[in-house]
Amino acid sequence: AQSVSQHNHHVILSEAASLELGCNYSYGGTVNLFWYVQYPGQHLQLLLKYFSGDPLVKGIKGFEAEFIKSKFSFNLRKPSVQWSDTAEYFCAVKARGSGTYKYIFGTGTRLKVLA
Amino acid sequence: DAGVTQSPTHLIKTRGQQVTLRCSPKSGHDTVSWYQQALGQGPQFIFQYYEEEERQRGNFPDRFSGHQFPNYSSELNVNALLLGDSALYLCASSTDIGAYEQYFGPGTRLTVT
């Protein structure tokens, strides 16, 4: 069955530290990939997405992610985090079949950035 | 421009009861998807509605059903509630059935006692 794994459930960083959150999926077909963020007290927002083309995608607030097809990975990165990046981050995959598709979310990574 | 809205915000029901949750999509959106998010978990896809029909469905029993109205708003119905149905129910809207970019609502917190 298709699945999405986020290996880091909780991450604590100091401001200005670099961030990398892992995301791996299990599905051999066509995928679209997403990272969503949920700030405290707010609803899910799209951070960035990959459909095709350049495997390095840039999103809002300085985030980027790289799609490595051979590794079934879509890791999220930010060179220097800020206190305001404290949030929960979800990786999601749209697994496309013949005329059908499924959306699969990972379990999320809670990021806490210390000022 | 209003985003995705959901009602009610919170709901408490008893096992065996039925519940209806409502969602109004973002202006200009015609596709609505529903998700269940249990505590500590990521959202799980329930189903998607487009042109008033269920077009895609996740691994949820028939107790979960829905409806989409001509104005694109949608309802999620859950019958014979179980304790395990307690969760945050999220609605997401998009501009096409492909749902490449979904906008999520704040969710309805359902507690089943």
Side-chain angles (χ1 to χ4, degrees):
Chain A
Q2 303 97 337
S3 65
V4 175
S5 299
Q6 291 183 243
H7 310 296
N8 315 101
H9 298 294
H10 293 88
V11 173
I12 301 175
L13 295 172
S14 298
E15 272 193 317
S18 64
L19 169 73
E20 181 160 4
L21 300 182
C23 173
N24 287 90
Y25 64 93
S26 63
Y27 183 67
T30 304
V31 294
N32 301 126
L33 300 158
F34 308 84
W35 275 97
Y36 286 87
V37 60
Q38 188 166 25
Y39 297 104
Q42 297 186 28
H43 51 266
L44 277 168
Q45 302 171 40
L46 182 67
L47 200 54
L48 48 78
K49 58 187 183 286
Y50 171 80
F51 298 145
S52 63
D54 189 345
L56 183 63
V57 293
K58 295 189 184 299
I60 60 172
K61 303 185 180 184
F63 285 91
E64 64 179 31
E66 184 175 12
F67 172 46
I68 303 179
K69 190 174 181 179
S70 60
K71 296 185 177 180
F72 299 91
S73 70
F74 191 56
N75 292 353
L76 180 70
R77 300 194 293 249
K78 185 171 184 179
S80 176
V81 296
Q82 301 173 311
W83 177 80
S84 58
D85 293 324
T86 295
E88 188 158 20
Y89 294 80
F90 292 92
C91 179
V93 170
K94 180 183 173 186
R96 301 167 65 185
S98 51
T100 67
Y101 48 86
K102 288 184 179 181
Y103 295 95
I104 308 147
F105 277 75
T107 53
T109 297
R110 287 185 181 272
L111 171 66
K112 184 170 184 178
V113 180
L114 305 175
Chain B
D1 175 28
V4 179
T5 59
Q6 293 185 242
S7 64
T9 307
H10 296 87
L11 203 52
I12 300 174
K13 290 286 188 178
T14 305
R15 274 181 302 175
Q17 286 188 317
Q18 178 263 345
V19 68
T20 297
L21 310 182
R22 295 175 177 84
C23 170
S24 291
K26 181 178 169 65
S27 178
H29 287 187
D30 56 10
T31 303
V32 173
S33 302
W34 285 93
Y35 293 82
Q36 180 195 68
Q37 187 177 14
L39 206 60
Q41 300 296 316
Q44 284 199 300
F45 178 63
I46 303 174
F47 44 52
Q48 182 183 78
Y49 276 83
Y50 174 68
E51 292 189 338
E52 302 180 47
E53 290 188 0
E54 181 184 297
R55 288 303 184 99
Q56 302 291 338
R57 189 177 182 94
N59 297 326
F60 279 80
D62 293 344
R63 297 188 297 109
F64 289 77
S65 63
H67 189 76
Q68 186 179 35
F69 299 93
N71 66 353
Y72 309 120
S73 67
S74 178
E75 289 181 348
L76 164 65
N77 301 292
V78 187
N79 295 322
L81 284 167
L82 304 173
L83 294 179
D85 295 331
S86 295
L88 181 68
Y89 287 85
L90 298 169
C91 171
S93 73
S94 56
T95 54
D96 56 50
I97 194 171
Y100 289 117
E101 186 160 347
Q102 298 185 87
Y103 288 78
F104 281 83
T108 293
R109 174 73 62 186
L110 172 64
T111 301
V112 182
T113 61

